[in-house]
Amino acid sequence: MADDESFEPPGQVEGGLPEHTVFTASMPAATPITAAVERVAGEWLEVRGVEAVAHTMGPAGEDVVQVMVTDQATLDRLAPRLPAEVDGFPVTVRVSGKFRAQ
């Protein structure tokens, strides 16, 4: 290994990561709310009108599974069919509009 004075950072590659980058840190364990969101997101995102499933905070600071839908008609159609909670976390549904990449 080079000493501090002669050290040169690795060259850049397409995508911006240095060449020969080694990631050694382990990923932190998923929190219970993250696990709950991940467990249902794949299935729920397949439903027409669902734009996102995410972790948010409720009015009292509690963890909430948030389902975002395109419009009020979708909310009216889906809200009665979704569970009130997932793994003990409340589920809320709100109109977000259509998500578009910019």
Side-chain angles (χ1 to χ4, degrees):
M1 174 110 187
D3 63 342
D4 289 346
E5 291 178 19
S6 64
F7 175 77
E8 291 185 35
Q12 296 293 311
V13 295
E14 188 174 333
L17 290 175
E19 292 180 289
H20 309 294
T21 300
V22 177
F23 296 99
T24 59
S26 61
M27 294 297 291
T31 63
I33 184 66
T34 301
V37 170
E38 289 176 356
R39 190 170 69 73
V40 297
E43 179 183 344
W44 291 0
L45 287 169
E46 295 293 323
V47 176
R48 183 177 39 89
V50 174
E51 292 295 310
V53 179
H55 167 210
T56 192
M57 302 302 283
E62 73 277 18
D63 292 314
V64 173
V65 177
Q66 178 85 55
V67 181
M68 291 168 261
V69 298
T70 54
D71 52 37
Q72 186 64 44
T74 303
L75 185 144
D76 294 341
R77 175 175 55 89
L78 291 181
R81 296 173 46 204
L82 291 172
E85 63 179 43
V86 172
D87 297 345
F89 299 103
V91 174
T92 60
V93 186
R94 76 173 183 90
V95 175
S96 63
K98 184 100 174 125
F99 287 9
R100 291 191 169 88
Q102 294 192 359

